Amino acid sequence: MKTEVNQTCCCDALAPGRRVLRAGNTNCPGCGMSLALHWLGRALPDQPMTLCIPAGCAVVTAGAYPTTAYGVPAVATTFASAAAVAAGIRIVENLNNDPGLTFCFAGDGATYDIGTACISAAAERDEDIIYICYDNEIYGNTGGQRSSATPQNAVTTTTPSGKRRIKKDMMKIIIAHHVPYAATLSLAHTDDFVRKVRQAASVRGFRFLLIHSPCPTGWKSDPEESVELDRLAVSTGLFPLYEVFEGRRFRINVKPDFTPPGEYFSRQGRFPKVIADPELASRHIREEWDHLERMAATFPAD
Amino acid sequence: MRKFCTGNHAAGYVLAAAGEANRNARGCVAGGYPITPQTEIMEFLRGFRFTKGRVQAVESEHSAMAMCIGGSISGARTFTASSSNGLMYMAENVFMAGYCRLPVVLAAVNRTIGPPWNIWVDQGDTLALRDTAWLHFYCESHQEVADTILLAFRVAEDSRILLPAIVAFDGFIISHTSAPVDLPEQADVDRYLPPCHVPHRLDHDRPQMLGAMVTPEDTAAHRLELHEAMERVPAVLEQARDEFREVFGRQPDGAISGYRLEDAETVLVASNSIASTVRGVVDKRRRDGERVGMLKIKLFRPFPRHLIRQALKGAKRVGVIDRNVSLGSGGIFWLEICGALFNTPDLILQDYLTGLGGGDVTPEAVENILEDLLARRKSGEPCWKVKAYERMF
Amino acid sequence: MIEIVILGRGGQGGVTLAKLIAMTYFLQGQDAQAFGVYAAERSGAPLRAFVRADNQEILCRNQITEPDHLVVLDRTLVTDHIASGLKPGGWIVLNSPDPPSVFAGEFPGYRIATIDANSIAIACGLGTRTTPIVNTTILGATARVLGETFEAVRAALEELKFVGPNLESARRAYETVSVAETPAGTCSARSSSRSVVTTMSILDPDAGIPPQTQTGSWARQKPMQRSFTSPCNQGCPAGNDVRGFLAAIKEKQFDLALEILHRTTPLPGVCGRVCPAPCMDACHRNELDEPVNIRELERYVADHASPAAAAAMNRNHAVAVIGSGPAGLAAAYHLGRLGYGVTIFEAGSELGGVMRTGIPEYRLPRPVLDREIEHVLEHGVTAQTRCKVGKTELLKFSQRFAAVFVATGLQEARALNLGIQDSTHIMQGIAFLDEALTGHMSLKGERIIVLGGGNTAVDASRTAIRLGASEACIVYRRTRAEMPAIKEEVDEALEEGVLLKELLGPVALNRNGNGSGWTLECQRMRLGEPDQSGRRSPVAIEGEAGRLGLPCDRVILALGQLGDLSLFPEGSEVREGETLIGLTGAPIFAGGDLASNEGTVAAAIGSGRKAAWHIHRTLSGEDLFPKETAPVVSAATIRLTAFQRASQARGSILEPAGRIRSFNEVRVGLSESADHEVAVLESQRCFTCGACTGCDICRANCPEGVLTRRGTDYAFDYDYCKGCGLCAFECPRGVILMEQL
C-alpha cells in the first residue's frame, strides 16, 4: 500500500503504451512541457489524439525532419491560429464521426498574446476542441522575452528591470466565454492533473486547460526542481488550482498554505534578489484568493 | 441552369456545389470572414445547407485560412473567399497552405490594398500572394468565374498537383454586377469532381507532424518539389478542360486565350474584365484594317511562359495592360512577360499601368494605349500616364 | 586568415566564446568574424561556433569546414571524427582534467592542450554545479596556446563587460593550461565529411520516424538507484530491521513482521513496552510531523502475531550463559538458533534479570515476560535458577563448556552517605522494587523520597504510590530536562501524583526530634558548566538560603549501579568484544550492562547477539558479523512533500486515578481490531527511508520517460537520460542519487 499523496503514479496511468512524447526529443533537461505531454498521454492512454501546435517550444520539440518526437499526429500551425486549425480538423472529424480528440498544445505566447483573438473566437463559438496552454510565463523559443503571462517583477530579456505589470489572468478571459470547462493544472499535483484532463475529455465544446509549466532555462532554475516549483507555486497561492464549469460554477481544488512567496522566488534566477515591494506580492496573492474564494462560495460547482 | 445573378452569387453557388460534391467522402469545410467586395460569397455559403459540410464564420481571415488548413489536413474539401487587406491578414496561412500542399480553393475578389481605404478593384491583392505556391486564375467574366472555380478544384486536388488555387475576379465589375450565368447542376458537379483525396492527411495509425523543422537543404528540395508540381499544372489543366467539356458541353478558357491573335502585329495583353473591353477595341480596330489582337492571360501561376512566347511569336509590338504595380519596378504582368520574352530584343514590349485603385478602364483608354503603342519606336519604362485619366495628373 | 571551430553544448556559452576570441583579434586591429550555427536544440544539445580573423578584409561568410584550430567545450563531445577537416598540426583545445597525452593517440598529428575548465568555472562561481559556464575559462586557455597575451584576453573581456570571476577564470586557465606542443604521430587523411540525407516529400511530412538523437550524450550527471540504511535501523541498539518489520505490517503480514523481529530480538514484547526507542528519535518522519510509533507497533506485533516454531536441531556444542537478563537471554536465543546447546545460569529464583526485578509490572506485565522467556527456551536452551556463579564456578565452566558468556548486569547499587546507617529507612531502589514484587510490602501513609533521575527512580516512586505511600517525591539535583529517565515515564509519574523537586542535592537524613518521621536535609543547586555527560553540572548554592529540609518517612536511593567483577580474576577489565586472557579452556565473553553499561534492554539484546556471533566465529570460523553496511539515508534527501501529514497513532493509557490502585499494565497499546486497521495505518506513516518501494514517482516525473521498473529495481535508459535530476529530487525516500560524469 502506497502512502504518497499522489496516487496516480502507482496505478495504470504508468502502464506502457503509446507515448505522446518520445525520448530523444530536444527539450531542455527538466522541461515542464515534457512532463505535461507525458501526463496528457497517461490521462488518455487509449484515445486517438491530434495536437495542433502553434509556433513555440513544442514545435521544436518534434525535432529535425524527417523524425518526430511526437507519437501522435501533429500539425505545426502558424503562431496565432492553432485554435482555428484545430477547429477545422475537429469539424471534419465530427462530420465523419471519427473518434478521438483534437487538442491545441500552445505556449503562453500563442495563447495570451498573439493568438488571443483566435482563441476567444473559438471559445465563443464553443468549438469542440481541448485547448491546452503550457504556460512557462515567457517566450521561451525565441530566447526569453516577456509575455503577458510573465509574472510581476520577473526579469526577461525585454523586461531587464523586472516586469512592471501583473500576470494577465487568462482563466478569467476564457471563463467569460462561458465555455463548458476550464481548469488550471500543476505538474506537482498529478492526481488532480489526470482527473482534469479526463473531465475535459468527457464533455464536448470548448475546453481550456492551463498548465503551469516550469522552464529551467527561462526561469534560471535548477532542472531537478521543476516539479518542486509547481508545488511551491500552488502552496504559496501564486498559482491557484481550480475548475470552472460553464463559466459560472467554481471549484477550488487545493487550498494553499500561503507559504511566503519568497520560497518560490528565491529558487529562480529570474526574480531579482531584492524585490522592490515584497509586501505587494503577498497582498496581491491574498486579494486574488479572496476574490476566488468568494466566487467559489457564491457559485459552487458542487 | 441559366441565371441572372452577381459574380459573387455565382462564385458562392459553385463553391457550395463543389463542397456538396464531396459529401460521400470527407465532406467540406470553410472558414470565412467578410470583407467588401466578397461578403456576399460568405453569406451565400453560410446559408447553404450542406449534407456533410460546414462553413464557419470566424473572427479573422488569418483564422479563416487556418480553419481551411485544419479541414484540408483532415481530408475534407476546403475553400474560402477574401479580398484586399483580408488577403494580407491571411497571408501567413496562405503560405502555409501552399508550402504544405493543401488543395484549398480561394475565391479572391480583387480589391486594391489600403490604407487609404478604397473598395475598388485592382489586382494588387492577389498578386501580392504570387510567391505562395498557389495556382492563380484571373477571370474575365461571370461565366468564367463559375467555370474556373470547378477547374480550380479539379486541378488543385489532382494527385499530380496538390497545390491550392486562387480564382480571382474584379471587385464590383464582376462581383456586384448582375449578368447571365450558366450555373452547373449539382449532379454534373458530382460527375465532374472526383472525391477530394489528401494523401498526407492526418492518420492516427501513422502519426506524423505537418510543418516540422527542416534544414536549409530540405527547404531547397521542397521548393523544387513545389516547382515541379507547378510545372505539371498546364497539362493537368488541359485535361481538366477536356473533362469539363464532356460534362458541361462547353470548354472554359485555358491558361491563355488569344483573340484574333493569329496574324496580329500589335497585341494587347490583358486579364480580368479588362480583357472584355479589349476584345471590343480589337474588333473596332480590325474593322479599320489594323492587325490588332489580344492575348488574355488567365493562368498567372504557374506563369505559362512557353505558351506566351508561342502566342506572341508573330507580334512586333506588345502592350501589357496592368491593373497593378510592383512599386519600384513596374506592372507585374509586364515583369513576368519580360521574363518570358527576354530573348526577343527586337520586340517592342510596353507596360501600361491602368486603372490602379479601380478607375474605369474604358474603350477610350484602351484606344489611347493602342495609339501610344503604335507610336513607339522602342520599348520604354512603364507608362503611368495613360490619357483618359487626365484629371488625375 | 585564421579559422577556428568551437564545439560545445547549448548553455556553455560557445557562441559568446567565439565573440570573445574574435574580439581579441579585433581589438588588435584585425578584421574578425564570429557566429554560431543554430537549429532546434536547447540547453545541452551540441552546437558549433566559428571564428575568423585576418589582417585583410574577410569576405568569406560560409561555415568553416577546414579550420586551423579546434576548441571543444565539453569532453563528452570528444569523438574520433570531431577533427575531420582540421588542418594538420593545428591545436585542439579540450575541456578536460586529463593531460594532453591521454588524447595523443586519438588525435595524431595535432597539438593538444587541455584545461579542467569545469573545475575552474565552478570555483569561480560561473554557472551552476551541473551546468558550469566554461567559455571565459576556455578563452584563457585558447589565447595562451595561440600565442596571444593575457592583456589581449583582458581587453576582450572588458569590451564585452565580462569582469570579476570571468576574468579570474580566464587568468587561471591562461596560466595552467597543459600543452603538448609537438604533435604525436601524423594525421590520417580526413576530409570533412558531410552526411547526405535524402529529403522526404512534402506529402510525406516526417515519415513518423522516431528521434535519432541519443540525448543521453547531453548529460553531465547520471542517476543511480541505491539502497541505504534507514535511520531507525541504524539507531536500534538491538540491530532490529525496523524498516523491514514496518513494511510487513503495511502489507498486513503480522506473522512476517514478528518473524523479522525474531531474526534479531527475542524480546519484542518487552522492548515494545520499555524501550526508550532511539529509533523513534532517529525517525526521519520527525521532520514532517511525528515519528512513526515504532515502539507501539513492535508491541502490537509481539502481542498479536504468532511466532514460528523453533526448528529442531542437532546440538553439538554446549555454551554457558551466566545471567538471564536481556543480554544473556539474547545470547542464549541466538546461540540456540545457531544450533548450540545453551545452559543459562541465573542467580535469582526466576529468569529475566532486571526485566523481572527492576521493571515494575505496571510497565511490563509478567505474563508477557514469561511468554518471551519461554520462546527463548524453545530454542535448545535450558536454565538453572538459584545458581550464583563465582570465580571458581566460572573457571569450571570454562573447562566444561565450549564457551562462556557472562552477562550478570550491574548488581551493585551506588551507595550514598546520608549520615546514618538504616536499612529500613534508606533502601536501594532495585532492592525496593524486588521486595515490592513479593506483594507483602505496604507503604501505607508513608512519605517517600526517591533520590535519582533515572528510570529506577521513577519506577520506585510510582511503585511507592501503588503501595499506598501518602506522598512520593523524586528529589533530583539537576532539572527535569536533564533526567535520563524516559520522558513518558516521568509524565505518567507526575500524572499519578508523584512530586518532582528539582535542583536539590541530598546532604543528610536526620530523625526528627519529636519522633514523628525524618527530615532529609538538602542543598539547593543551580546549573553550572556541562560535565563529561554533556549535561550541566549542579553547583551548590552556598549559605543559609541554600539549605532546605524535606520531611519524609523513607528514602529510596536510585543513583545508578555498578557491575560486580568479582567473578573474574583480579585486575580484569571488561570490554565488549574482548575475551578474557590468560586462562586455559574455553573462551569467556562478557556483555550487556556489565560490559558497556548502556542501560537499556535493547542495547543488552544487541550485545547478546554480538556475543553469539563472537562465540560462533570462535567455535566454527563462520563470521556472521555484518559486512560493510550502506550509509544511513540523509534526512535532506527525503522528499517530505510526497507525504501527507498524519498524526501519530498512540496507544491509550489508563486514567491515573484508577491505575495507581494496582500494578495492572498502565499502557493499553494501539487499538485492536480484527483487521488491525490502526496498526496498519500507523505503519503506513513510515517513509521506508532509503529503500525503494516501487512507488514510481521517479518514473512519473521523468521528462524523458527513460525509467522502467521490475519489482523495486529501476532501470535507466542512459542513452536518452539528460541528467536533469528530477528522479533523484522527487524520490520520496532518497534512493536515487545523481553521480557526476
Side-chain angles (χ1 to χ4, degrees), chain A residues 1-5 9-10 14-15 19 21-31 34-35 38-39 42 57 60 65-69 140-141 187 217 222-228 231 267, chain C residues 40 42-43 130 199-201 204-213 215 218 250-251 641-644 684 694-697 699-705 720 722 724-726 729-730 732-733:
Chain A
M1 278 144 96
K2 305 293 195 284
T3 59
E4 297 77 16
V5 293
C9 53
C10 57
L14 289 180
R19 286 278 180 91
L21 177 67
R22 297 165 170 155
N25 65 74
T26 54
N27 285 356
C28 301
C31 173
S34 296
L35 286 169
H38 286 305
W39 284 111
R42 287 168 190 158
C57 283
V60 178
Y65 181 94
T67 66
T68 177
N141 200 33
L187 294 168
T217 306
D222 221 323
E224 65 180 21
E225 289 195 316
S226 288
V227 175
E228 178 78 350
R231 202 168 277 134
R267 292 175 196 233
Chain C
R42 321 225 78 70
S43 300
T130 51
T199 303
M200 314 286 290
S201 160
D204 205 359
D206 59 26
I209 298 172
Q212 303 294 298
T213 315
T215 48
W218 298 10
K250 277 189 207 178
E251 299 301 321
T641 50
F643 302 98
Q644 242 165 29
Q684 288 175 355
C695 75
D696 275 342
I697 281 179
R699 196 166 137 217
N701 282 298
C702 174
E704 312 310 319
Y720 292 101
K722 293 173 185 163
C724 71
L726 268 161
F729 188 96
E730 291 295 316
R733 36 199 60 88

Side-chain angles (χ1 to χ4, degrees), chain C residues 127 298 322 462 469 476 478 480 490 512 522 633:
Chain C
E298 186 181 11
I322 317 299
R462 295 173 74 184
Y476 184 55
R478 291 181 169 95
R480 189 177 165 177
V490 178
N512 291 341
C522 297
V633 61

Side-chain angles (χ1 to χ4, degrees), chain B residues 8-197:
Chain B
N8 275 351
H9 181 98
Y13 177 92
V14 179
L15 287 171
E20 181 66 4
N22 207 43
R23 63 191 176 281
N24 296 321
R26 298 279 288 169
C28 70
V29 72
Y33 194 75
I35 183 169
T36 306
Q38 153 275 68
T39 306
E40 292 75 14
I41 299 178
M42 291 316 303
E43 289 172 347
F44 182 98
L45 290 171
R46 285 283 286 164
F48 188 90
R49 285 229 128 85
F50 288 92
T51 308
K52 189 177 186 184
R54 181 158 140 201
V55 172
Q56 182 61 60
V58 293
E59 83 292 354
S60 78
E61 289 88 350
H62 191 268
S63 290
M65 184 54 64
M67 183 165 279
C68 291
I69 286 168
S72 187
I73 199 58
S74 231
R77 176 165 288 154
T78 53
F79 46 88
T80 186
S82 195
S83 306
S84 177
N85 288 58
L87 284 172
M88 294 305 98
Y89 197 23
M90 190 186 270
E92 181 188 30
N93 281 330
V94 175
F95 274 92
M96 180 169 177
Y99 285 171
C100 291
R101 296 187 71 179
L102 297 172
V104 186
V105 170
L106 189 153
V109 184
N110 285 126
R111 169 187 155 183
T112 193
I113 296 173
W117 301 119
N118 177 348
I119 59 175
W120 303 98
V121 60
D122 75 36
Q123 297 162 312
D125 55 355
T126 48
L127 288 173
L129 298 172
R130 63 192 183 274
D131 300 330
T132 54
W134 281 59
L135 277 53
H136 281 232
F137 296 96
Y138 288 85
C139 298
E140 179 183 349
S141 65
H142 292 53
Q143 190 62 60
E144 186 150 56
V145 170
D147 294 346
T148 305
I149 287 175
L150 290 178
L151 285 179
F153 277 110
R154 174 66 186 81
V155 175
E157 291 175 6
D158 190 289
S159 62
R160 295 164 285 183
I161 308 299
L162 287 167
L163 293 172
I166 283 174
V167 177
F169 55 97
D170 289 342
F172 290 102
I173 300 173
I174 304 291
S175 68
H176 282 63
T177 303
S178 296
V181 196
D182 254 316
L183 294 176
E185 301 292 336
Q186 185 64 55
D188 289 334
V189 178
D190 293 347
R191 271 172 59 204
Y192 179 65
L193 288 179
C196 176
H197 175 63

Side-chain angles (χ1 to χ4, degrees), chain C residues 585-643:
Chain C
I588 300 177
F589 295 85
D593 274 351
L594 177 68
S596 48
N597 195 9
E598 290 184 60
T600 64
V601 170
I605 293 170
S607 173
R609 183 157 157 245
K610 282 190 211 136
W613 290 341
H614 277 292
I615 290 169
H616 183 62
R617 183 169 64 185
T618 306
L619 296 181
S620 77
E622 188 186 8
D623 187 337
L624 294 174
F625 284 86
K627 303 298 173 283
E628 204 185 304
T629 44
V632 178
V633 61
S634 135
T637 62
I638 302 298
R639 193 56 47 208
L640 299 174
T641 50
F643 302 98

Side-chain angles (χ1 to χ4, degrees), chain C residues 225-275:
Chain C
Q225 182 185 6
R226 297 245 177 271
S227 288
F228 293 92
T229 305
S230 56
C232 48
N233 284 19
Q234 173 85 337
C236 175
N240 292 340
D241 182 7
V242 177
R243 182 175 68 194
F245 95 82
L246 292 177
I249 299 176
K250 277 189 207 178
E251 299 301 321
K252 299 189 183 150
Q253 294 182 357
F254 287 85
D255 289 348
L256 174 61
L258 183 59
E259 195 236 300
I260 291 170
L261 284 166
H262 275 166
R263 291 178 199 158
T264 47
T265 171
L267 304 167
V270 174
C271 290
R273 287 166 166 82
V274 308
C275 189

